[in-house]
């Protein structure tokens, strides 16, 4: 077992207190909030992140639980655990893709501890970054965590001026596809941001969250049965593994035609990749395999997997096409079964 | 042998759950990491992050000054350390050159683990990086960066300890740099065999390094007494072997060391050899305190002793009617930084699992700048059988023959010569295969295949494979005593890593004539136990079982002799019924075992205690085989393989405890499937492990493994107790081949590299020639 370095742990009882503590300590010393700790504590052991003050959010009741407001929005407290989200009847009925994504995260043990908020704020991942301190030191570190080396490069793309660490959250692409909003609270006040604006395509500065802000709530817009959202996760084992690809697809159907469509890819870049523009070519017509194929053929070009997660990136890119096709067809209630089994049919 | 009892005792053949199971799953079992003697210090090792480097300087002054640090050792502090270390255990620490990433360069003992950890950060090491040989093919070339110190002798004792099968020839000529051993087995005219063949198939098979994956990491606690005696509590597969090795490494007389074998949370071959015992002993000597060292999972993966990487090029030729003609193969075994692989058995299974009239198989063991290897459950047999069984499957398909029938036609039988000239002993290879091909999953394979590829289903296929191992032998001894309460105690020095003590109790029970509940087994330390061998090579029941049986029979005779005097009957007329010695046919003339036990322990009694002794050597090995079947579905777009059903058939000789064997068969199958589908230690070009955690080193989870149906067949081993033969190793052997065969059955593509990842399958599918107008 690797050991945690010493740090001060603070356990506020209210959101306001938490925000004050974050502002106050954050001014002087590296300070972070922790929810389930299933991401932060392993990172601290590997010394990828080394806050000297850690503010625990689990003792703040107002950050927990799932409710609805008068306008039909669903409000999820950021420290609601993934296990709670996965089995919540209301989410299961109204936003099954989100419940499914929460259920698809890691293992049962981690889901009872890990939170939805933590999942959305999950640090970006990379084979060169997710290593122990001594391992990273032996390659002179990397630009995401340069330590003593100001000239540290990106090991995945050595000539690159930016970090390519991967957004690996299962729930993030679904939140973007559902057009969720996030309520961010700080000592200075609060603001609401669109999920799509919350994630930034940069492996280091991967969130638009300011360091003094706490993600308090996830707000889901009202939905109805004309919408169907699907999340497909590609991983090697039936449990445990981070997504090597996640595809969230949403399709709103009228009587026969598609009225609206959204498409978001996860784990193919430093932020969820919103390919909704492509999916919108389905609007106005009855969904067909050909139309879905055409979107898939376009969408996977936008996926730029690099050689920094499990398995070969060329294959992962091909899989983006397969999964977009499957997810969109499923969301559009289209039966692909007649042609599966034709080898590589989706790839031709 | 006939045991004369009227009622069948609860012994051999009964299904008995492990009595230690409840304690294990509730966390009550005490392992080395749970020992907390007064004054305990905690050890940590500073390990090289570089695979090949010269150590320019080590500065430990800051670490030594840290409060709570009791000792910091480097190579310079260890007079026992010599260059040209013959094993990993001898190379306690790097002297002036590190040869793999993870090799220890300094050791700390401190009051707390956190202090020891902090001290590591304060040790300054300056390295001068040297060129690295990561790949065995490069490492074999002239001019490659050297791994071992010049003049180091290869250590082949593990190969011998493990299987005892001697090679006929071992080549010494023209040893290239980093080539540790070479073997060659040949018979007949291979060139002529190929010339006369109608079909010749050649493939290169590649299997990466994989880790054994025991739950308990390597753990040891060492303490010296004031008289200079060393006691080692350790998680080992062989306490006497650990004692010998530590004595050799530290230059101590063997009997100055006492090894206490603790509960072993899995070993699978990696805990045969000593690893951390010497450094723990040295830290304990330097501090005069007990020192405990427990490896982390990360250290296990990066610097444990995994299985070798194996590359095999195999070429085989047959006649159109299927007649085997010739096989030629070359094996490269990448052993990491220290030698010690089991090379000969690879040749024997390649050349003589089937009846090839002519063969030439060559093997080399190559050193690279990676962690050195150890045994892993039937070492290299899953690899070898992946190659030879894939070859047989391909040949059958190429000839349009039924793959199972084809194997049956050419499989060896008792008396056929092995590649090294010795005859195959009686075995159940054929019986396993015959049993498997009656299974509905095999007879129903055409329907399964036809149900795939439509209605949203993937491509479906079924594959089987047969393989096994030649378990080892080693002398051993046991004692058994009759207690004053009529129960029996068996004492052995045999570590129980697999529930074997249950089987030993069953054997003692049947051989003596009581129910197994009356027998308890004590695993004693090296000072108290009679000599015992390794708990490895599938031989505990085969060898120690025989010794316990002999001891129990001896005790039974002694018991009868005592009773005969009392009951005024001849010993031959006595039997044991329900815990009483009875004169056969005269039930009222009897004496309880407790009465006898008391007599032998009473003040002023003249009756000698019953102490049965079994002490045996062995000369006959009993090959052990298994057949496995995988029914799978392949997603044609992604290449993901889903296991639907899995069947394991195994020849167990005689099932002493069917439940224990079932556990072995299932556990072995799960490890075998992991090797087949997901497991791989991934090293970068500089020899650094890229996946040193169980998140990224992918063992299969409960979600990935279907129910495993187990079927036992019993072909008695002539020298085994009650006919039993080794059961631990065979179940890890066939699955990689079975799954690869199933993939070809489902899709028509053959994958020759493990693991069978979705990308490999998908890319092969894309590359395959089109059948239905589609092309990639
Ligand atoms: C073995 C393993 C497997 C995993 N597999 C998956 C997987 O398959 N899919 C997946 O998506 N994740 C996976 N994870 C990552 C992680 O467990 C989950 O993402 C989990 O949801 C994180 O939530 P948490 O509450 O534990 O986060 P924490 O560790 O508490 O926090 C994560 C990050 O978010 C910040 N944070 C947390 N809450 C807030 C808040 N309210 N406001 C502002 N910032 C906040 C923290 O400062 C930290 O930077 C895995 C982790 C492990 C160790």
């Amino acid at each position: 077992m690797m050991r945690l370095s010493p740090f001060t742990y603070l356990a506020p009882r209210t959101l306001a207190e938490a925000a004050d503590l974050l502002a106050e300590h954050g001014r002087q010393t590296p300070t972070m909030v922790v929810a389930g700790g299933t991401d932060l504590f392993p990172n601290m052991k590997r010394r990828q992140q080394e806050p000297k003050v850690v503010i625990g959010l689990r003792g703040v009741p107002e950050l927990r639980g799932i409710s609805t407001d008068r306008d039909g929005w669903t409000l999820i407290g950021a420290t609601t655990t993934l296990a709670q989200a996965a089995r919540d009847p209301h989410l299961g009925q109204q936003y099954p893709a989100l419940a499914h994504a929460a259920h698809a995260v890691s293992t049962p043990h981690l889901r009872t501890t890990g939170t939805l908020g933590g999942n959305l704020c999950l640090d970006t991942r990379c084979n060169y970054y997710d290593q122990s301190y001594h391992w990273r030191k032996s390659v002179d570190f990397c630009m995401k965590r340069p330590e003593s080396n100001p000239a540290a490069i990106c090991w995945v793309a050595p000539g690159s001026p930016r970090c390519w660490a991967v957004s690996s959250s299962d729930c993030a692409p679904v939140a973007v596809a559902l057009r969720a909003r996030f309520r961010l609270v700080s000592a200075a006040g609060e603001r609401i941001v669109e999920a799509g604006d919350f994630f930034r395509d940069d492996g280091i500065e991967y969130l638009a969250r300011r360091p003094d802000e706490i993600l308090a709530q996830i707000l889901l817009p009202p939905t109805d049965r004309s919408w169907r959202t699907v999340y497909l996760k590609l991983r090697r084992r039936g449990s445990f593994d981070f997504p090597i690809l996640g595809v969230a697809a949403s399709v709103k159907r009228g009587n026969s035609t598609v009225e609206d469509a959204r498409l978001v890819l996860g784990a193919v870049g430093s932020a969820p990749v919103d390919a909704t523009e492509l999916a919108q070519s389905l609007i106005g017509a009855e969904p067909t395999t050909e139309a879905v194929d055409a979107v898939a053929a376009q969408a996977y070009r936008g996926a730029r997997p690099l050689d920094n997660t499990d398995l070969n990136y060329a294959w992962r890119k091909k899989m983006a096409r397969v999964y977009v096709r499957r997810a969109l067809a499923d969301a559009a209630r289209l039966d692909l079964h007649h042609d599966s089994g034709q080898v590589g049919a989706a790839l031709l | 042998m006939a045991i004369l009892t009227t009622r069948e005792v609860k012994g051999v053949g009964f299904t008995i759950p492990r009595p230690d199971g409840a304690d294990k799953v509730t966390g009550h079992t005490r392992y080395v990491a749970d020992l907390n003697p007064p004054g305990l210090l905690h050890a940590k090792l500073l390990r090289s992050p570089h695979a090949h480097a010269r150590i320019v300087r080590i500065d430990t002054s800051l670490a030594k000054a840290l409060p709570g640090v009791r000792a910091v050792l480097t190579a310079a502090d260890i007079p026992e350390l010599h260059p040209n270390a013959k094993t990993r255990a001898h190379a306690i620490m790097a002297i002036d050159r590190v040869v793999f990433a993870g090799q220890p360069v300094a050791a700390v003992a401190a009051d707390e683990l956190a202090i020891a950890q902090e001290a590591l950060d304060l040790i300054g090491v300056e390295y001068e990086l040297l060129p690295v040989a990561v790949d065995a093919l490069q490492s074999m070339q002239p001019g490659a960066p050297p791994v071992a110190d010049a003049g180091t002798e290869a250590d082949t004792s593990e190969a011998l300890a493990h299987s005892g099968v001697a090679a006929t020839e071992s080549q010494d000529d023209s040893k290239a740099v980093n080539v540790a051993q070479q073997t060659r087995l040949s018979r007949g005219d291979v060139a002529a065999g190929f010339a006369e063949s109608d079909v010749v198939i050649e493939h290169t098979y590649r299997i990466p390094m994989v880790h054994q994956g025991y739950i308990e990491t390597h753990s040891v606690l060492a303490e010296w007494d004031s008289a200079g005696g060393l006691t080692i509590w350790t998680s080992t597969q062989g306490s006497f072997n650990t004692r010998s090795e530590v004595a050799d490494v530290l230059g101590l007389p063997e009997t100055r060391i006492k090894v206490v074998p603790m509960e072993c949370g899995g070993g699978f071959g990696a805990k045969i050899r000593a690893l951390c015992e010497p450094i723990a002993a040295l830290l304990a000597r330097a501090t005069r305190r007990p020192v405990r060292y427990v490896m982390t999972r990360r250290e296990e993966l990066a610097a444990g002793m995994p299985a070798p990487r194996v590359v095999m090029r195999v070429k085989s030729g047959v006649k159109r009617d299927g007649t085997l003609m010739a096989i030629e193969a070359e094996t490269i075994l990448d052993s990491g930084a220290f030698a010690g692989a089991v090379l000969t058995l690879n040749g024997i299974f390649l050349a003589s699992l089937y009846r090839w009239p002519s063969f030439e198989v060559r093997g080399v063991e190559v050193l690279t700048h990676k962690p050195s290897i150890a045994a892993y459950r039937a070492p290299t047999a899953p690899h070898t059988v992946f190659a030879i069984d894939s070859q047989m499957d391909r040949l059958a398909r190429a000839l349009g023959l039924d793959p199972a029938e084809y194997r049956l036609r050419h499989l060896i039988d008792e008396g056929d010569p092995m590649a090294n000239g010795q005859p195959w002993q009686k075995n159940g290879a054929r019986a396993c295969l015959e049993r498997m091909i009656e299974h509905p999953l095999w007879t129903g394979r055409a329907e399964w295949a036809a149900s795939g590829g439509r209605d949203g289903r993937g491509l479906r296929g079924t594959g089987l494979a047969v393989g096994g191992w030649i378990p080892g032998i080693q002398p051993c001894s046991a004692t058994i005593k009759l207690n004053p309460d009529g129960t029996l105690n068996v004492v052995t020095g045999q570590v129980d890593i697999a529930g074997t003590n249950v089987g030993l109790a069953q054997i003692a029970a049947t051989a003596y004539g009581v129910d197994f509940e009356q027998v308890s087994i004590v695993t004693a330390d090296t000072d108290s136990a009679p000599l015992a061998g390794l708990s490895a090579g599938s031989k505990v029941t085969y060898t120690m079982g025989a010794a316990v049986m002999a001891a129990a029979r001896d005790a039974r005779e002694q018991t009868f002799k005592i009773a005969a005097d009392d009951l005024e009957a001849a010993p031959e007329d006595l039997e044991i019924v329900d815990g009483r010695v009875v004169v056969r046919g005269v039930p009222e003339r009897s004496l309880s075992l407790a009465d006898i036990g008391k007599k032998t322990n009473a003040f002023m009694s003249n009756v000698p205690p019953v102490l049965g002794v079994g002490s045996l050597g062995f000369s006959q090995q009993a090959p052990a085989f298994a057949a496995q079947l995988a029914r799978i579905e392949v997603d044609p777009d992604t290449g993901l393989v889903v296991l639907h059903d899995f069947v394991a058939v195994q020849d167990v000789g005689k099932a002493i405890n069917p439940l224990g064997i079932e556990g072995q068969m299932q556990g072995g199958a799960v490890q075998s499937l992991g090797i087949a589908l997901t497991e791989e230690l991934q090293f970068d070009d500089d020899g650094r492990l890229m996946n040193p955690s169980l998140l990224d080193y992918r063992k299969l989870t409960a979600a990935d493994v279907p129910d495993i149906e187990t079927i036992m067949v019993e072909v008695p081993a002539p020298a085994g107790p009650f006919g039993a033969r080794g059961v631990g190793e065979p179940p890890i052997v066939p699955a990689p081949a079975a799954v690869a065969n199933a993939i070809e059955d489902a899709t028509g593509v053959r994958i020759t590299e493990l693991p069978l990842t979705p990308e490999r399958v998908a890319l092969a599918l894309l590359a395959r020639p089109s059948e239905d107008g589609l092309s990639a």
Side-chain angles (χ1 to χ4, degrees):
Chain A
M1 193 198 330
M2 282 185 293
R3 319 279 306 177
L4 285 167
S5 309
F7 60 92
T8 302
Y9 183 79
L10 302 171
R13 294 287 157 214
T14 66
L15 180 54
E17 192 192 340
D20 286 345
L21 288 173
L22 183 57
E24 181 191 325
H25 290 276
R27 269 195 291 277
Q28 292 140 32
T29 182
T31 303
M32 289 179 79
V33 298
V34 68
T38 63
D39 179 46
L40 182 62
F41 290 138
N43 282 3
M44 285 171 68
K45 287 181 178 179
R46 290 187 294 258
R47 295 197 237 167
Q48 291 157 265
Q49 294 172 313
E50 289 189 287
K52 294 286 164 250
V53 177
V54 175
I55 300 171
L57 300 179
R58 294 298 283 276
V60 178
E62 52 205 291
L63 287 176
R64 285 197 290 266
I66 301 171
S67 59
T68 45
D69 72 5
R70 247 175 269 129
D71 303 326
W73 285 68
T74 295
L75 319 175
I76 310 174
T79 64
T80 303
T81 65
L82 295 164
Q84 285 163 344
R87 61 163 184 260
D88 183 76
H90 172 71
L91 287 187
Q93 220 186 19
Q94 299 284 312
Y95 309 97
L98 185 61
H100 171 65
H103 184 72
V105 173
S106 60
T107 65
H109 310 70
L110 285 161
R111 289 196 295 274
T112 56
T113 312
T115 66
L116 183 59
N119 188 253
L120 294 168
C121 297
L122 179 69
D123 195 5
T124 51
R125 298 181 54 82
C126 172
N127 284 345
Y128 291 87
Y129 170 68
D130 292 307
Q131 298 287 357
S132 67
Y133 177 84
H134 291 281
W135 195 104
R136 286 181 290 122
K137 188 174 171 201
S138 76
V139 299
D140 247 349
F141 302 103
C142 76
M143 64 164 68
K144 184 162 161 73
R145 182 76 190 172
E147 304 284 349
S148 49
N149 178 11
I153 58 167
C154 169
W155 284 101
V156 183
S160 162
R162 60 163 285 191
C163 162
W164 291 95
V166 182
S167 164
S168 305
S169 157
D170 279 305
C171 297
V174 181
V176 176
L178 290 174
R179 297 296 181 247
R181 293 174 183 176
F182 300 153
R183 183 158 80 96
L184 299 173
V185 173
S186 70
E190 64 173 79
R191 61 178 178 133
I192 304 257
V193 298
E194 292 284 341
D197 298 330
F198 186 66
F199 302 103
R200 302 189 56 220
D201 187 20
D202 182 288
I204 298 169
E205 298 295 334
Y206 62 96
L207 295 179
R209 182 182 80 87
R210 289 198 318 265
D212 67 332
E213 284 179 321
I214 294 170
L215 170 59
Q217 261 178 345
I218 294 95
L219 321 175
L220 300 173
T223 182
D224 64 51
R225 299 182 62 85
S226 62
W227 279 105
R228 180 176 161 79
T229 304
V230 171
Y231 177 67
L232 291 187
K233 173 176 184 172
L234 178 60
R235 60 174 160 188
R236 275 219 260 174
R237 292 176 293 179
S239 187
F240 217 138
D241 290 334
F242 277 93
I244 37 186
L245 170 71
V247 176
S250 274
V251 174
K252 179 177 167 68
R253 272 187 74 164
N255 281 341
S256 60
T257 58
V258 171
E259 294 184 350
D260 201 352
R262 301 175 197 145
L263 177 66
V264 184
L265 280 65
V268 292
S270 297
V273 173
D274 195 341
T276 294
E277 217 173 295
L278 298 172
Q280 297 204 330
S281 65
L282 300 176
I283 293 175
E286 233 176 276
T288 61
T289 313
E290 292 70 33
V292 165
D293 282 345
V295 176
Q298 289 289 315
Y300 91 112
R301 302 223 161 84
R304 287 223 171 66
L306 289 171
D307 199 6
N308 58 353
T309 69
D310 184 29
L311 292 174
N312 173 286
Y313 60 94
W315 174 81
R316 272 159 41 221
K317 187 167 168 104
K318 286 196 170 66
M319 291 310 104
R321 185 167 174 180
V322 175
Y323 269 53
V324 165
R325 178 175 189 268
R326 291 182 181 179
L328 264 183
D330 187 349
R333 300 104 161 145
L334 194 64
D335 187 7
L336 286 179
H337 288 167
H338 63 277
D339 67 3
S340 84
Q342 286 186 351
V343 169
L347 305 179
L348 303 173
Chain B
M1 72 166 226
I3 300 279
L4 300 173
T5 27
T6 8
R7 172 175 84 78
E8 200 195 343
V9 298
K10 279 200 272 167
V12 166
F14 274 65
T15 284
I16 299 165
R18 288 174 68 157
D20 53 336
D23 273 355
K24 284 200 166 137
V25 297
T26 54
H28 287 94
T29 304
R30 280 160 58 86
Y31 295 89
V32 174
D34 299 313
L35 298 177
N36 270 309
L40 178 68
L41 298 179
H42 303 264
K44 284 296 266 182
L45 302 185
L46 183 67
R47 296 174 179 275
S48 166
H50 306 293
H52 192 201
R54 200 169 70 79
I55 301 173
V56 181
R57 180 168 29 247
I58 306 186
D59 182 356
T60 59
S61 53
L62 289 176
K64 281 180 173 151
L66 185 71
V69 169
R70 302 293 165 176
V72 182
L73 300 182
T74 67
D77 306 307
I78 305 175
E80 289 84 356
L81 200 52
H82 303 291
N84 303 71
K86 54 183 176 190
T87 70
R88 259 294 271 293
H90 287 83
I92 306 170
M93 265 195 270
I95 301 179
D96 48 17
R97 191 168 65 100
V98 296
V99 291
F100 69 94
Q103 190 174 13
V105 295
V108 175
D111 293 348
E112 291 173 29
L113 200 53
I115 297 173
Q117 171 86 54
E118 203 181 331
L120 294 190
D121 287 348
L122 298 175
I123 300 173
V125 187
E126 190 184 321
Y127 294 100
E128 177 191 320
L129 300 193
L130 298 170
V132 179
V134 180
D135 183 72
L137 286 171
Q138 285 162 9
S139 195
M140 289 167 71
Q141 302 304 319
V147 180
D149 298 326
T152 305
E153 281 300 311
D155 171 62
T156 51
S157 57
E158 166 125 1
L160 297 175
H162 216 278
S163 73
V165 174
T168 41
E169 262 181 82
S170 122
Q171 286 184 321
D172 245 5
D173 51 309
S174 73
K175 264 197 191 170
V177 63
N178 298 328
V179 170
Q181 35 159 342
Q182 281 179 283
T183 57
R184 179 169 168 275
L185 294 163
S186 68
R187 183 186 305 150
D189 187 341
V190 175
F194 282 120
E196 288 166 33
S197 295
D198 298 314
V199 176
V200 175
I201 284 180
E202 180 170 349
H203 285 292
T204 300
Y205 299 89
R206 296 182 175 83
I207 300 96
M209 279 189 171
V210 293
H211 191 274
Q212 297 88 345
Y214 29 84
I215 296 179
E216 183 205 21
T217 59
H218 276 92
S219 311
V220 57
L221 185 133
E223 183 172 19
W224 297 77
D225 60 31
S226 47
L230 169 65
T231 303
I232 295 175
W233 292 261
T234 185
S235 175
T236 174
Q237 290 180 241
S239 44
F240 288 99
N241 183 65
T242 300
R243 186 175 76 169
S244 305
E245 287 194 274
V246 175
D248 192 44
V249 173
L250 298 182
L252 287 173
E254 235 175 286
T255 45
R256 284 262 292 282
I257 304 173
K258 174 165 104 177
V259 173
V260 184
M262 294 293 291
E263 197 64 52
C264 179
F268 306 112
K271 292 179 184 166
I272 294 175
R273 312 301 300 262
L275 182 63
C276 324
E277 288 83 356
I279 190 62
L282 291 171
L283 287 168
R285 190 173 67 188
T287 56
R288 298 163 181 270
R289 301 261 292 266
V291 171
R292 190 174 75 200
Y293 178 63
V294 178
M295 268 168 84
T296 64
R297 183 67 60 192
R298 190 165 292 271
E299 288 177 302
E300 270 292 353
L301 289 166
M305 298 193 284
R309 174 171 158 75
V310 184
V311 179
M312 287 164 284
R313 186 186 55 75
V314 187
K315 177 177 166 188
S316 38
V318 298
K319 289 283 213 196
R320 208 174 313 285
D321 67 359
T323 307
L324 304 187
M325 298 302 291
I327 189 163
E328 191 252 65
E330 252 177 317
T331 297
I332 299 171
L333 235 145
D334 173 355
S335 283
F338 293 87
V342 183
L343 198 47
T344 309
L345 275 233
N346 166 262
I348 286 184
F349 277 94
L350 281 177
S352 53
L353 179 54
Y354 296 92
R355 297 196 199 101
W356 298 98
S358 69
F359 57 78
E360 167 154 3
V361 297
R362 294 177 299 279
V364 287
E365 180 184 26
V366 181
L367 303 185
T368 57
H369 293 112
K370 297 209 288 287
S372 67
I373 57 125
Y376 179 14
R377 214 169 177 170
T380 73
H383 312 63
T384 311
V385 166
F386 175 56
I388 189 64
D389 199 274
S390 294
Q391 245 359 64
M392 293 302 285
D393 209 67
R394 292 238 78 186
L395 287 168
R397 279 174 193 281
L399 297 166
L401 300 172
D402 178 276
E405 300 289 343
Y406 189 61
R407 285 180 185 75
L408 269 181
R409 212 167 106 200
H410 300 291
L411 199 58
I412 48 88
D413 270 322
E414 181 181 359
D416 282 333
M418 296 198 290
N420 63 355
Q422 298 167 9
W424 277 102
Q425 300 295 319
K426 183 174 167 188
N427 68 78
R430 184 171 294 278
C432 288
L433 199 48
E434 279 168 348
R435 180 67 188 78
M436 184 64 94
I437 63 181
E438 291 166 6
H439 196 283
L441 292 186
W442 182 250
T443 54
R445 64 193 187 281
E447 293 85 79
W448 176 253
S451 69
R454 51 194 171 84
D455 302 330
R457 299 192 198 111
L459 304 170
R460 292 178 161 183
T462 310
L464 60 69
V466 61
W469 188 242
I470 306 178
I473 44 178
Q474 194 172 7
C476 61
S477 45
T479 62
I480 182 166
K481 69 168 183 259
L482 177 66
N483 292 308
D485 64 359
T487 64
L488 298 160
N489 261 142
V490 176
V491 179
T492 81
Q494 191 82 51
V495 177
D496 180 1
I497 58 164
T500 46
N501 276 353
V502 179
L504 295 182
Q506 291 174 269
I507 288 172
T510 296
Y512 186 85
V514 293
D515 292 340
F516 75 92
E517 291 99 332
Q518 302 304 307
V519 183
S520 65
I521 309 278
V522 176
T523 308
D525 62 52
T526 51
D527 278 2
S528 336
L531 286 174
L534 298 167
S535 295
S538 299
K539 67 178 180 54
V540 172
T541 302
Y542 189 73
T543 56
M544 188 54 90
V548 167
M549 182 162 125
R553 290 169 68 184
D554 181 14
R556 181 176 160 100
E557 271 171 34
Q558 294 177 28
T559 309
F560 282 179
K561 212 163 143 217
I562 296 168
D565 280 353
D566 235 80
L567 299 171
E568 295 173 353
E572 310 82 71
D573 293 336
L574 300 178
E575 60 180 344
I576 300 177
V577 181
D578 293 335
R580 302 185 74 81
V581 181
V582 185
V583 181
R584 193 169 297 112
V586 197
E588 57 283 3
R589 279 173 61 199
S590 73
L591 200 60
S592 77
L593 291 173
D595 289 340
I596 298 172
K598 286 198 183 74
K599 264 186 216 300
T600 66
N601 194 227
F603 188 57
M604 300 301 282
S605 163
N606 65 354
V607 183
V610 173
L611 181 67
V613 176
S615 185
L616 299 175
F618 304 85
S619 53
Q620 195 179 338
Q621 293 175 262
F625 281 91
Q628 293 175 343
L629 174 148
R631 188 185 238 202
I632 63 151
E633 181 164 345
V634 180
D635 182 328
D637 293 331
T638 63
L640 280 161
V641 175
V642 174
L643 292 166
H644 278 265
D645 301 278
F646 195 85
V647 184
V649 179
Q650 190 171 327
D651 167 26
V652 305
K654 162 74 189 173
I656 303 285
N657 178 10
L659 193 61
I661 297 174
E662 203 177 302
Q664 290 296 311
M665 291 172 71
Q666 292 178 331
V670 172
Q671 287 180 315
S672 195
L673 287 166
I675 297 171
L677 290 168
T678 48
E679 291 184 43
E680 172 173 20
L681 290 168
Q682 295 165 332
F683 295 91
D684 72 3
D685 294 344
D686 296 322
R688 266 179 224 101
L689 184 65
M690 291 297 288
N691 56 342
S693 81
L694 288 182
L695 173 60
D696 298 316
Y697 180 83
R698 294 181 167 75
K699 290 259 168 205
L700 293 182
T701 73
D704 306 304
V705 181
D707 270 355
I708 292 168
E709 183 183 341
T710 56
I711 299 169
M712 294 169 214
V713 299
E714 297 186 324
V715 177
F722 302 96
R725 54 177 87 226
V727 298
E729 287 166 306
I732 200 177
V733 178
V739 177
N741 294 339
I743 290 174
E744 176 159 8
D745 187 48
T747 65
V749 302
R750 170 60 53 171
I751 316 286
T752 57
E753 181 164 8
L754 299 181
L756 302 160
T757 60
E759 86 193 13
R760 284 196 178 120
V761 176
L763 296 178
L765 281 170
L766 279 175
R768 83 174 177 172
S770 145
E771 290 155 20
D772 41 12
L774 294 166
S775 68

